[in-house]
Amino acid sequence: TQLLEQSPQFLSIQEGENLTVYCNSSSVFSSLQWYRQEPGEGPVLLVTVVTGGEVKKLKRLTFQFGDARKDSSLHITAAQPGDTGLYLCAGHLYNDYKLSFGAGTTVTVRA
Amino acid sequence: NAGVTQTPKFQVLKTGQSMTLQCAQDMNHEYMSWYRQDPGMGLRLIHYSVGAGITDQGEVPNGYNVSRSTTEDFPLRLLSAAPSQTSVYFCASSYSAEVGEGYTFGSGTRLTVV
């Protein structure tokens, strides 16, 4: 059983549409991170959220950390083909060095 | 800066063979870790190190050994390869073990055990 559950597992949308990826847990996290991974490469950090209720924006990407610090979401506005990739959420439990990852959401944006 | 460098990029092993996956970082990062990535399972932590001379086990450590004699290097050793160890292996580092620090990943080693 994964500590972090991501949904959906796969998402295919048309260019210009919006999408949301969810990351949920029954555990409380001190921080959550989002990464994007392209084929043949390692994950690349997009954002870290550390405060419950926090919202961070990165151009067309909006990240939210739930008030209870158990969940997070990634929203992409007006998706472009360059947004295609595997999106991974990851988190630290309190007083734990280890970073745990969700299984990922594969996003495909069709031109 | 090179960041995190992993070698080799690809490797095929026979069951029972041993090998070492190399990982080096040039960012003076204290924290280093090894993950394996399998379809539908995300990244699972194998071993990690919070500094030179200090290592600890992650979620899936069986069949793997690590050591950290320098800040820069964190090799992963497969003692006797098994087909279940077929996977893509990623090394990652961060400035410290502080919670919330972002990780820098290498580009991975794709290992096939036949």
PDB file of all heavy atoms in Angstrom, chain B residues 17-33:
ATOM      1  N   GLN B  17      25.166 -12.552 -10.810  1.00  0.00           N
ATOM      2  CA  GLN B  17      26.293 -11.638 -10.941  1.00  0.00           C
ATOM      3  C   GLN B  17      26.141 -10.474  -9.961  1.00  0.00           C
ATOM      4  O   GLN B  17      25.050 -10.151  -9.505  1.00  0.00           O
ATOM      5  CB  GLN B  17      26.385 -11.091 -12.371  1.00  0.00           C
ATOM      6  CG  GLN B  17      26.882 -12.095 -13.378  1.00  0.00           C
ATOM      7  CD  GLN B  17      27.088 -11.475 -14.756  1.00  0.00           C
ATOM      8  OE1 GLN B  17      26.254 -10.699 -15.228  1.00  0.00           O
ATOM      9  NE2 GLN B  17      28.189 -11.838 -15.396  1.00  0.00           N
ATOM     10  N   SER B  18      27.272  -9.850  -9.665  1.00  0.00           N
ATOM     11  CA  SER B  18      27.250  -8.675  -8.812  1.00  0.00           C
ATOM     12  C   SER B  18      27.722  -7.470  -9.622  1.00  0.00           C
ATOM     13  O   SER B  18      28.402  -7.626 -10.643  1.00  0.00           O
ATOM     14  CB  SER B  18      28.165  -8.860  -7.601  1.00  0.00           C
ATOM     15  OG  SER B  18      29.506  -9.033  -8.022  1.00  0.00           O
ATOM     16  N   MET B  19      27.332  -6.286  -9.192  1.00  0.00           N
ATOM     17  CA  MET B  19      27.805  -5.077  -9.846  1.00  0.00           C
ATOM     18  C   MET B  19      27.568  -3.872  -8.941  1.00  0.00           C
ATOM     19  O   MET B  19      26.820  -3.970  -7.955  1.00  0.00           O
ATOM     20  CB  MET B  19      27.133  -4.846 -11.191  1.00  0.00           C
ATOM     21  CG  MET B  19      25.755  -4.244 -11.127  1.00  0.00           C
ATOM     22  SD  MET B  19      25.258  -3.463 -12.683  1.00  0.00           S
ATOM     23  CE  MET B  19      26.381  -2.077 -12.776  1.00  0.00           C
ATOM     24  N   THR B  20      28.219  -2.778  -9.278  1.00  0.00           N
ATOM     25  CA  THR B  20      28.067  -1.528  -8.538  1.00  0.00           C
ATOM     26  C   THR B  20      27.562  -0.443  -9.456  1.00  0.00           C
ATOM     27  O   THR B  20      28.125  -0.218 -10.532  1.00  0.00           O
ATOM     28  CB  THR B  20      29.407  -1.089  -7.925  1.00  0.00           C
ATOM     29  OG1 THR B  20      29.871  -2.103  -7.019  1.00  0.00           O
ATOM     30  CG2 THR B  20      29.239   0.225  -7.168  1.00  0.00           C
ATOM     31  N   LEU B  21      26.471   0.206  -9.042  1.00  0.00           N
ATOM     32  CA  LEU B  21      25.962   1.376  -9.734  1.00  0.00           C
ATOM     33  C   LEU B  21      26.600   2.605  -9.079  1.00  0.00           C
ATOM     34  O   LEU B  21      26.559   2.760  -7.857  1.00  0.00           O
ATOM     35  CB  LEU B  21      24.434   1.467  -9.610  1.00  0.00           C
ATOM     36  CG  LEU B  21      23.588   0.617 -10.556  1.00  0.00           C
ATOM     37  CD1 LEU B  21      23.838  -0.863 -10.331  1.00  0.00           C
ATOM     38  CD2 LEU B  21      22.106   0.931 -10.359  1.00  0.00           C
ATOM     39  N   GLN B  22      27.171   3.448  -9.929  1.00  0.00           N
ATOM     40  CA  GLN B  22      27.888   4.605  -9.403  1.00  0.00           C
ATOM     41  C   GLN B  22      26.993   5.838  -9.385  1.00  0.00           C
ATOM     42  O   GLN B  22      26.144   6.024 -10.259  1.00  0.00           O
ATOM     43  CB  GLN B  22      29.124   4.900 -10.258  1.00  0.00           C
ATOM     44  CG  GLN B  22      30.122   3.764 -10.349  1.00  0.00           C
ATOM     45  CD  GLN B  22      30.829   3.479  -9.029  1.00  0.00           C
ATOM     46  OE1 GLN B  22      30.806   4.289  -8.099  1.00  0.00           O
ATOM     47  NE2 GLN B  22      31.450   2.312  -8.934  1.00  0.00           N
ATOM     48  N   CYS B  23      27.191   6.663  -8.356  1.00  0.00           N
ATOM     49  CA  CYS B  23      26.478   7.935  -8.232  1.00  0.00           C
ATOM     50  C   CYS B  23      27.441   8.961  -7.652  1.00  0.00           C
ATOM     51  O   CYS B  23      28.060   8.698  -6.599  1.00  0.00           O
ATOM     52  CB  CYS B  23      25.259   7.804  -7.330  1.00  0.00           C
ATOM     53  SG  CYS B  23      24.430   9.385  -7.033  1.00  0.00           S
ATOM     54  N   ALA B  24      27.563  10.089  -8.318  1.00  0.00           N
ATOM     55  CA  ALA B  24      28.424  11.163  -7.826  1.00  0.00           C
ATOM     56  C   ALA B  24      27.700  12.498  -7.993  1.00  0.00           C
ATOM     57  O   ALA B  24      27.037  12.720  -8.995  1.00  0.00           O
ATOM     58  CB  ALA B  24      29.737  11.186  -8.604  1.00  0.00           C
ATOM     59  N   GLN B  25      27.877  13.376  -6.980  1.00  0.00           N
ATOM     60  CA  GLN B  25      27.295  14.721  -7.075  1.00  0.00           C
ATOM     61  C   GLN B  25      28.379  15.745  -6.746  1.00  0.00           C
ATOM     62  O   GLN B  25      29.251  15.496  -5.907  1.00  0.00           O
ATOM     63  CB  GLN B  25      26.062  14.875  -6.172  1.00  0.00           C
ATOM     64  CG  GLN B  25      26.235  14.478  -4.731  1.00  0.00           C
ATOM     65  CD  GLN B  25      26.708  15.595  -3.824  1.00  0.00           C
ATOM     66  OE1 GLN B  25      26.747  16.773  -4.206  1.00  0.00           O
ATOM     67  NE2 GLN B  25      27.065  15.241  -2.592  1.00  0.00           N
ATOM     68  N   ASP B  26      28.278  16.897  -7.424  1.00  0.00           N
ATOM     69  CA  ASP B  26      29.292  17.937  -7.249  1.00  0.00           C
ATOM     70  C   ASP B  26      28.709  19.195  -6.628  1.00  0.00           C
ATOM     71  O   ASP B  26      29.220  20.302  -6.835  1.00  0.00           O
ATOM     72  CB  ASP B  26      29.969  18.242  -8.581  1.00  0.00           C
ATOM     73  CG  ASP B  26      28.992  18.772  -9.628  1.00  0.00           C
ATOM     74  OD1 ASP B  26      27.785  18.858  -9.337  1.00  0.00           O
ATOM     75  OD2 ASP B  26      29.446  19.089 -10.743  1.00  0.00           O
ATOM     76  N   MET B  27      27.636  19.048  -5.874  1.00  0.00           N
ATOM     77  CA  MET B  27      26.932  20.199  -5.292  1.00  0.00           C
ATOM     78  C   MET B  27      27.170  20.315  -3.793  1.00  0.00           C
ATOM     79  O   MET B  27      26.515  21.123  -3.125  1.00  0.00           O
ATOM     80  CB  MET B  27      25.430  20.054  -5.586  1.00  0.00           C
ATOM     81  CG  MET B  27      25.127  20.048  -7.076  1.00  0.00           C
ATOM     82  SD  MET B  27      23.402  19.653  -7.445  1.00  0.00           S
ATOM     83  CE  MET B  27      23.388  17.894  -7.148  1.00  0.00           C
ATOM     84  N   ASN B  28      28.049  19.490  -3.241  1.00  0.00           N
ATOM     85  CA  ASN B  28      28.332  19.459  -1.809  1.00  0.00           C
ATOM     86  C   ASN B  28      27.069  19.161  -0.993  1.00  0.00           C
ATOM     87  O   ASN B  28      26.873  19.709   0.098  1.00  0.00           O
ATOM     88  CB  ASN B  28      28.966  20.775  -1.348  1.00  0.00           C
ATOM     89  CG  ASN B  28      29.729  20.618  -0.035  1.00  0.00           C
ATOM     90  OD1 ASN B  28      30.293  19.559   0.242  1.00  0.00           O
ATOM     91  ND2 ASN B  28      29.730  21.657   0.777  1.00  0.00           N
ATOM     92  N   HIS B  29      26.218  18.292  -1.542  1.00  0.00           N
ATOM     93  CA  HIS B  29      24.987  17.919  -0.849  1.00  0.00           C
ATOM     94  C   HIS B  29      25.281  16.896   0.241  1.00  0.00           C
ATOM     95  O   HIS B  29      26.032  15.940   0.034  1.00  0.00           O
ATOM     96  CB  HIS B  29      23.981  17.335  -1.842  1.00  0.00           C
ATOM     97  CG  HIS B  29      23.276  18.368  -2.650  1.00  0.00           C
ATOM     98  ND1 HIS B  29      22.353  18.052  -3.628  1.00  0.00           N
ATOM     99  CD2 HIS B  29      23.352  19.723  -2.637  1.00  0.00           C
ATOM    100  CE1 HIS B  29      21.879  19.169  -4.154  1.00  0.00           C
ATOM    101  NE2 HIS B  29      22.481  20.190  -3.566  1.00  0.00           N
ATOM    102  N   GLU B  30      24.659  17.111   1.404  1.00  0.00           N
ATOM    103  CA  GLU B  30      24.842  16.177   2.521  1.00  0.00           C
ATOM    104  C   GLU B  30      24.041  14.891   2.332  1.00  0.00           C
ATOM    105  O   GLU B  30      24.472  13.818   2.683  1.00  0.00           O
ATOM    106  CB  GLU B  30      24.409  16.851   3.827  1.00  0.00           C
ATOM    107  CG  GLU B  30      25.346  17.929   4.339  1.00  0.00           C
ATOM    108  CD  GLU B  30      26.648  17.347   4.848  1.00  0.00           C
ATOM    109  OE1 GLU B  30      26.622  16.218   5.398  1.00  0.00           O
ATOM    110  OE2 GLU B  30      27.693  18.004   4.704  1.00  0.00           O
ATOM    111  N   TYR B  31      22.830  15.028   1.834  1.00  0.00           N
ATOM    112  CA  TYR B  31      21.889  13.906   1.783  1.00  0.00           C
ATOM    113  C   TYR B  31      21.910  13.270   0.404  1.00  0.00           C
ATOM    114  O   TYR B  31      21.812  13.955  -0.612  1.00  0.00           O
ATOM    115  CB  TYR B  31      20.484  14.406   2.104  1.00  0.00           C
ATOM    116  CG  TYR B  31      19.437  13.317   2.171  1.00  0.00           C
ATOM    117  CD1 TYR B  31      19.185  12.638   3.355  1.00  0.00           C
ATOM    118  CD2 TYR B  31      18.694  12.988   1.044  1.00  0.00           C
ATOM    119  CE1 TYR B  31      18.227  11.637   3.419  1.00  0.00           C
ATOM    120  CE2 TYR B  31      17.738  11.989   1.091  1.00  0.00           C
ATOM    121  CZ  TYR B  31      17.505  11.322   2.275  1.00  0.00           C
ATOM    122  OH  TYR B  31      16.563  10.333   2.341  1.00  0.00           O
ATOM    123  N   MET B  32      22.031  11.926   0.382  1.00  0.00           N
ATOM    124  CA  MET B  32      21.964  11.194  -0.881  1.00  0.00           C
ATOM    125  C   MET B  32      21.117   9.942  -0.680  1.00  0.00           C
ATOM    126  O   MET B  32      21.031   9.404   0.434  1.00  0.00           O
ATOM    127  CB  MET B  32      23.365  10.803  -1.368  1.00  0.00           C
ATOM    128  CG  MET B  32      24.239  12.007  -1.706  1.00  0.00           C
ATOM    129  SD  MET B  32      25.829  11.571  -2.430  1.00  0.00           S
ATOM    130  CE  MET B  32      25.339  11.095  -4.098  1.00  0.00           C
ATOM    131  N   SER B  33      20.489   9.504  -1.760  1.00  0.00           N
ATOM    132  CA  SER B  33      19.593   8.358  -1.649  1.00  0.00           C
ATOM    133  C   SER B  33      19.521   7.620  -2.974  1.00  0.00           C
ATOM    134  O   SER B  33      19.836   8.171  -4.035  1.00  0.00           O
ATOM    135  CB  SER B  33      18.192   8.816  -1.228  1.00  0.00           C
ATOM    136  OG  SER B  33      17.703   9.793  -2.116  1.00  0.00           O
TER     137      SER B  33
END
